Amino acid sequence: MNIKTICCIGAGYVGGPTMAVIAQKCPHIKVTIVDINESRIAAWNSSDLSKLPIFEPGLDKIVEEARGRNLFFSTNIDKAIDEADMIFISVNTPTKTYGKGKGMAADLKYIELCARQIAKVSKQNKIVVEKSTLPVRTASAIKNILENTGNGVRFQILSNPEFLAEGTAVEDLLSPDRVLIGGDSSEEGKKAVQVLVDIYTNWVPKERILTTNIWSSELSKLTANAFLAQRVSSINAMSELCEKSGADVNEVSKAIGMDSRIGSKFLKASVGFGGSCFQKDILNLVYIAKTYGLEEVADYWEQVILMNEHQKQRFSDRIVSTLYNTVSGKKITFFGWAFKKDTNDTRESAAIKVADNLLSEQANIAVFDPKVVEERIYADLEHLNSRNPEENRTLLKVENDPYEASKESHAIAVLTEWDAFKTYDWKRIYNNMNKPAFIFDGRGILDIKALQKIGFVCYKIGSGS
Ligand code: NAD
Ligand code: UGA
């Protein structure tokens, strides 16, 4: 089968960049990304490339090249499904907030809606690809829905989880460590896998394309995120021990990372991991383990989340205790709100929890983030439902300039590792702050010795000195 048209349902952080790269690398394939969110689609179609709904380094160039040629963004979902030979499902799979599995299981209602819509609209055989991160064995539910339409259309279901990280999405997509494709072992299943392999070989070396059975593929995605998050929680656990013992967590990371069995990546201590996936996917893994009655497995992975919660809590506790046990009425400036640098995504960002804790202590917070807009920050706080929106707006102000944000502040808390923070005129910031002026570097990115020389009182995550 020769794929001529692709439809991707879900124009989010995964659907947008992933399909833009497929379109760029496969100009012979028409790629249409659809979404129910009209304003998101309008933003993807914006002629001003700085208005794309997602900020990712390099993405604007790719969209500029492919959009209108063989890359299209649309809200006409039925039409795109009908025309497509292959459909990627890339919708959100958040943690369930209701019913059985509330707070743990993945909410699959958006996936099911997609499957039902594909079943209803399709008139010709299609390959359906799970791009979203899903619990193991979801493909069988999708298959059931698709195969019971009675209209004779045949579907092949593949699992092709996405491993891109935000902030480096384009790089990760252009040169992935591996592409994973899971499929059925039947003749038709194998053919479908090959069709998707052929798309990726347009730019990914064959040896980096791994094919497995569908359940291994689904479970590998959850496992990869669990292992990555576990490394962050492990080094964060050590960061607390470093602070007590006089060791420096950066030195410990370096020392253990040079062991080739451990490796140096993902060993950066922080105020806690954020992002839309680590917590959601581990909770989902814990839930799956529990449903199979594997209590020890569930408890083991749950600890990664508990450690992360502890890390965020102890960072805000540290700010309060250092500022003489009260922050009531004191101005604290946040540098960074995004969950990591080079993205405007704030989902589950550690900054939200730290802000919430400090606002409960009646601190006044000023936030500066180079990419996150004011409405997003207030929406994040409102989502927590800890205070009324008015109170959030009175106690927390969003600033567009770091120097303005730190004026008359008692302390600066670094919540995101934006590179630009290292280049600021820290002397100027110091001069405009209340004294003693404190810095709480939750990302370990600043030159603490230089800041101490200026006069700052410094706390750096994982450093006992
Ligand atoms: P997102 O919320 O940014 O995007 C999902 C989009 O799907 C939204 O725009 C939503 O409007 C749309 N949508 C939902 N239901 C729809 C429907 N029935 N029809 C049409 N559109 C619909 O989510 P995301 O971050 O792109 O994540 C998508 C999936 O990919 C999740 O399962 C996530 O776990 C996984 N994932 C995310 C990342 C990441 O870095 N964000 C990386 C790898 C995997
Ligand atoms: C993560 C994975 O890295 C991707 O492979 C995966 O596809 C994606 O989740 C997903 O499934 O959504 P992402 O969350 O975008 O990607 O970003 P990461 O670089 O993994 O960072 C996650 C969080 O961990 C961030 O808050 C980051 O600051 C933190 N982190 C990361 C640390 O605190 N220390 C580290 O050493 C690395």
Side-chain angles (χ1 to χ4, degrees), residues 291-337:
T291 41
Y292 285 118
L294 309 176
E295 291 304 324
E296 290 80 2
V297 178
D299 290 349
Y300 177 78
W301 286 108
E302 191 165 22
Q303 200 57 39
V304 173
I305 303 283
L306 297 179
M307 186 63 224
N308 198 47
E309 288 307 309
H310 171 67
Q311 191 76 347
K312 292 183 267 188
Q313 184 66 48
R314 81 178 186 89
F315 186 74
S316 53
D317 287 350
R318 177 70 187 241
I319 294 178
V320 176
S321 66
T322 307
L323 293 180
Y324 317 107
N325 287 317
T326 174
V327 288
S328 177
K330 290 181 185 165
K331 179 174 171 182
I332 299 169
T333 301
F334 278 26
F335 277 4
W337 189 266

Side-chain angles (χ1 to χ4, degrees), residues 45 91 176 183 210 243 341 413:
N45 281 322
V91 298
L210 183 65
E243 287 169 27
K341 73 173 179 178

Side-chain angles (χ1 to χ4, degrees), residues 224-297:
N225 274 358
F227 270 61
L228 289 168
Q230 180 206 41
R231 279 175 75 97
V232 179
S233 276
S234 297
I235 200 67
N236 281 346
M238 290 305 154
S239 74
E240 191 170 15
L241 196 49
C242 285
E243 287 169 27
K244 293 283 178 216
S245 61
D248 183 321
V249 78
N250 284 338
E251 292 178 354
V252 173
S253 290
K254 189 166 182 192
I256 64 165
M258 284 172 79
D259 185 326
S260 60
R261 294 168 304 173
I262 295 175
S264 61
K265 292 183 182 162
F266 256 74
L267 284 180
K268 189 95 192 80
S270 68
V271 52
F273 61 74
S276 61
C277 293
F278 278 178
Q279 177 170 307
K280 148 178 101 66
D281 291 348
I282 294 177
L283 286 172
N284 188 10
L285 194 65
V286 170
Y287 182 74
I288 293 168
K290 277 184 197 264
T291 41
Y292 285 118
L294 309 176
E295 291 304 324
E296 290 80 2
V297 178

